[in-house]
Amino acid sequence: EDKVVQSPLSLVVHEGDTVTLNCSYEVTNFRSLLWYKQEKKAPTFLFMLTSSGIEKKSGRLSSILDKKELFSILNITATQTGDSAIYLCAVERRTGNQFYFGTGTSLTVIP
Amino acid sequence: EPEVTQTPSHQVTQMGQEVILRCVPISNHLYFYWYRQILGQKVEFLVSFYNNEISEKSEIFDDQFSVERPDGSNFTLKIRSTKLEDSAMYFCASSEGGGYASDTQYFGPGTRLTVL
């Protein structure tokens, strides 16, 4: 059964801390892994990863994929209160257009 | 910046009633998706749609669900006879590419469906 597992389920940090969010997957015919940030309603896209070992960066956020060990991490440095959200990992299968989401990591950044 | 829109933002209905959730994908996008998120649970894929037909659907997407692109802009999700457990946030998403060309999905703001 295809599945995506995220850890930790929740995390509380102070502003300025660095956090690492984990996503492991077991999905047949893997095509890509995506990270989303979900604040109040709809998820907003952060990164799409298709190749192992190539880090993607956007400001204080970065992510990398390991297709051999079947996981990805999302790093956030110098966290701010605006980073508080649920971070979702989703994996796309090569066959069809189906995406599997993890349960998300709830990040709370306190001042 | 182009965005996916959904209407209504909140729909309340009685059990057994039919509902239609509406989405307007980004105009040059070709692939459309519906997801749902039951309160406190993870986002679940329902269906993907391309070239006027369903390309993939999950086991959640049973006979009570249907999708349609009635004109050049709208993409709808119909639930024929709603059940209490259909209460959830329903997200529409669209992407420019799909299939062999994996592409980013852009989500709409969601419709919160409450079945009483």
Side-chain angles (χ1 to χ4, degrees):
Chain A
E1 183 185 330
D2 294 327
K3 63 180 179 182
V4 177
V5 178
Q6 291 185 246
S7 64
L9 290 181
S10 66
L11 195 55
V12 180
V13 300
H14 287 94
E15 265 191 321
D17 288 350
T18 293
V19 297
T20 298
L21 311 182
N22 303 289
C23 175
S24 64
Y25 62 92
E26 292 177 26
V27 175
T28 53
N29 295 311
F30 171 91
R31 183 198 302 281
S32 65
L33 184 145
L34 299 95
W35 283 98
Y36 290 88
K37 178 182 182 182
Q38 185 176 29
E39 292 177 89
K40 292 176 183 173
K41 281 193 174 180
T44 53
F45 171 78
L46 294 175
F47 298 110
M48 181 172 72
L49 303 156
T50 55
S51 302
S52 277
I54 298 174
E55 185 183 51
K56 292 218 172 176
K57 282 182 72 74
S58 176
R60 296 177 292 102
L61 277 67
S62 63
S63 184
I64 197 160
L65 173 68
D66 185 329
K67 288 167 72 173
K68 183 180 176 186
E69 300 298 328
L70 307 184
F71 77 92
S72 172
I73 58 172
L74 174 69
N75 281 317
I76 309 174
T77 59
T79 51
Q80 302 170 357
T81 54
D83 295 327
S84 297
I86 295 173
Y87 289 83
L88 299 171
C89 170
V91 173
E92 182 192 12
R93 285 176 60 189
R94 188 173 296 277
T95 50
N97 303 113
Q98 189 162 81
F99 287 73
Y100 296 88
F101 280 80
T103 51
T105 292
S106 176
L107 174 65
T108 302
V109 182
I110 53 180
Chain B
E1 185 176 327
E3 57 182 16
V4 177
T5 59
Q6 289 185 244
T7 54
S9 57
H10 192 185
Q11 173 92 46
V12 181
T13 190
Q14 295 288 330
M15 193 168 57
Q17 295 296 304
E18 173 183 287
V19 295
I20 297 176
L21 310 183
R22 302 180 192 281
C23 168
V24 179
I26 294 172
S27 63
N28 64 328
H29 285 187
L30 300 177
Y31 293 82
F32 315 117
Y33 312 83
W34 282 102
Y35 295 85
R36 78 173 185 191
Q37 187 174 29
I38 295 170
L39 188 64
Q41 298 186 25
K42 66 180 180 182
V43 176
E44 298 172 296
F45 169 81
L46 292 178
V47 66
S48 57
F49 191 87
Y50 168 71
N51 199 26
N52 282 320
E53 58 184 30
I54 291 172
S55 53
E56 186 87 18
K57 60 182 180 179
S58 72
E59 56 275 8
I60 301 168
F61 194 88
D62 60 21
D63 291 344
Q64 69 161 341
F65 290 94
S66 62
V67 289
E68 195 177 34
R69 188 155 163 81
D71 53 43
S73 59
N74 288 285
F75 179 51
T76 62
L77 174 70
K78 182 192 289 186
I79 309 175
R80 284 191 188 81
S81 178
T82 50
K83 301 186 277 243
L84 294 177
E85 54 265 36
D86 293 327
S87 295
M89 181 73 89
Y90 287 81
F91 292 109
C92 172
S94 70
S95 64
E96 190 172 352
Y100 290 109
S102 178
D103 210 337
T104 305
Q105 295 185 9
Y106 293 87
F107 282 72
T111 292
R112 178 162 295 287
L113 176 65
T114 302
V115 181
L116 303 175

